Amino acid sequence: MKNIAVIGAGTMGNGIAHTFAQFGYKVQLIDVSKENLQRGMDTIAKNLDRMVAKEKISEAQKEETLGNITQQIDIPSGVKNVDLVVEAATENQDLKLKIFKQLDSNCSKDTILTSNTSSISITHIASVVSNPERVIGMHFMNPVPVMKLVEIIRGYSTSDKVTKSVMELSEKLNKVPVEVNDYPGFVANRILMPMINEAIKTLYNGVAGVYEIDTVMKLGMAHPMGPLQLADFIGLDVCLSILEVMHNGFKNPKYAPCPLLVNMVRAGKFGVKSGEGFYDYAENKKAEKVSPQFSS
């Protein structure tokens, strides 16, 4: 397995492409937008420069990694003769189903089809593929080149052979694969998102402020960043989408998104990527200044 296609050049997609390319795989990075592809490649180059500066890789390894990535603007061209596809498009069920229908039509029947979805059912995604046994979840953590975990999600029909292949592939990327079953949110987000949602409710109910909530969790629970800062980092729109998937999937009110989160997303306050969420990122990407909305 040496030829990989990655669909989506955003935060997760470019990180996944970077990781495969760094370990010697030939990567087709696919996005419908040339601008997104360029931004993705620029991000990969910056991250590789940072690794060179820290002496984790050499300049030659950086150039080799970049040379392993080819840009494509359509799926049929990008998935020819690949051994594995990683779909890393926006966390939108209809979009993912549309992509997998295209993959089913354009990939070899032996190509393993994976999704980096953080919450959407692999079984549902596989339902639009003629041989669903080859469909599996491969949920990387952000930032992909740094984080060790990969959640490997078996759909209802995923074969043992495909699961074994993807587990072994993850280990070759110097990751730690953990096999989980296909239920809304899987493991990571089923546990993480209710915590983030509860932190937002704590703010919404006036129990404490942004800085205070995050400080309690960092110093009291030894979390590397507070839940509100983490929500900004993930993207409040992504957090809302995952909570909605779990709420719809389990029909349990404990997964219902906090009204504050819903309103912030409606207002375009997505966190780091929009420049403002619970913190203000106008001057830098670090969560040093609480958003004016919450600082009074």
Side-chain angles (χ1 to χ4, degrees), residues 264-284:
M264 291 179 71
V265 172
R266 285 174 177 168
K269 309 296 185 183
F270 300 150
V272 176
K273 62 186 172 185
S274 71
E276 186 181 349
F278 294 106
Y279 293 87
D280 186 341
Y281 303 96
E283 296 178 4
N284 62 60

Side-chain angles (χ1 to χ4, degrees), residues 10 16 23 30 52-53 60-61 89 93 97 101 104 125-126 149 175 183 236 241 246 254 269 281 289 292 296:
I16 294 166
F23 282 83
I30 307 166
V52 171
Q61 287 172 313
Q93 181 172 279
L97 294 177
K101 286 178 182 177
D104 192 44
I125 290 172
L149 176 67
K175 303 297 185 187
Y183 292 96
L236 301 189
S241 175
M246 293 196 296
K254 77 175 183 179
K269 309 296 185 183
Y281 303 96
K289 182 180 178 182
S296 57

Side-chain angles (χ1 to χ4, degrees), residues 237-296:
D237 54 333
V238 176
C239 293
L240 177 59
S241 175
I242 295 168
L243 283 164
E244 288 175 336
V245 167
M246 293 196 296
H247 189 218
N248 291 333
F250 290 117
K251 308 300 181 187
N252 189 324
K254 77 175 183 179
Y255 298 112
C258 177
L260 175 59
L261 174 62
V262 174
N263 278 343
M264 291 179 71
V265 172
R266 285 174 177 168
K269 309 296 185 183
F270 300 150
V272 176
K273 62 186 172 185
S274 71
E276 186 181 349
F278 294 106
Y279 293 87
D280 186 341
Y281 303 96
E283 296 178 4
N284 62 60
K285 294 294 181 70
K286 295 181 180 179
E288 295 175 343
K289 182 180 178 182
V290 173
S291 172
Q293 179 183 354
F294 305 113
S295 59
S296 57

Side-chain angles (χ1 to χ4, degrees), residues 96-258:
K96 291 183 186 297
L97 294 177
K98 179 181 177 182
I99 288 171
F100 273 79
K101 286 178 182 177
Q102 287 183 273
L103 295 177
D104 192 44
S105 300
N106 290 283
C107 290
S108 160
K109 296 303 178 186
D110 296 322
T111 302
I112 295 174
L113 307 180
T114 80
S115 176
N116 182 58
T117 179
S118 52
S119 61
I120 296 169
S121 169
I122 297 300
T123 302
H124 191 185
I125 290 172
S127 70
V128 301
V129 175
S130 55
N131 46 340
E133 66 275 5
R134 64 171 167 162
V135 179
I136 193 167
M138 203 174 186
H139 180 209
F140 291 86
M141 303 294 124
N142 185 29
V144 180
V146 176
M147 299 293 278
K148 289 287 189 180
L149 176 67
V150 184
E151 271 189 311
I152 306 299
I153 305 105
R154 289 188 68 141
Y156 188 84
S157 301
T158 306
S159 71
D160 290 340
K161 180 181 178 182
V162 165
T163 303
K164 184 174 184 290
S165 294
V166 172
M167 294 283 282
E168 290 174 350
L169 175 64
S170 301
E171 290 173 350
K172 290 176 182 176
L173 299 175
N174 199 25
K175 303 297 185 187
V176 178
V178 176
E179 182 182 335
V180 305
N181 289 320
D182 186 22
Y183 292 96
F186 316 131
V187 172
N189 282 315
R190 182 170 178 172
I191 295 170
L192 174 63
M193 286 302 154
M195 183 193 74
I196 286 176
N197 199 40
E198 197 62 34
I200 298 170
K201 288 179 183 177
T202 303
L203 176 66
Y204 179 62
N205 292 331
V207 178
V210 171
Y211 171 80
E212 289 75 15
I213 292 167
D214 278 355
T215 299
V216 166
M217 296 305 291
K218 285 191 288 185
L219 300 186
M221 313 304 165
H223 290 193
M225 66 173 73
L228 300 177
Q229 179 187 357
L230 180 56
D232 276 356
F233 179 71
I234 294 169
L236 301 189
D237 54 333
V238 176
C239 293
L240 177 59
S241 175
I242 295 168
L243 283 164
E244 288 175 336
V245 167
M246 293 196 296
H247 189 218
N248 291 333
F250 290 117
K251 308 300 181 187
N252 189 324
K254 77 175 183 179
Y255 298 112
C258 177

Side-chain angles (χ1 to χ4, degrees), residues 56-71:
K56 291 185 176 181
I57 61 171
S58 66
E59 186 68 30
Q61 287 172 313
K62 169 198 163 184
E63 294 303 325
E64 184 179 351
T65 298
L66 291 172
N68 283 335
I69 303 172
T70 302
Q71 300 175 52

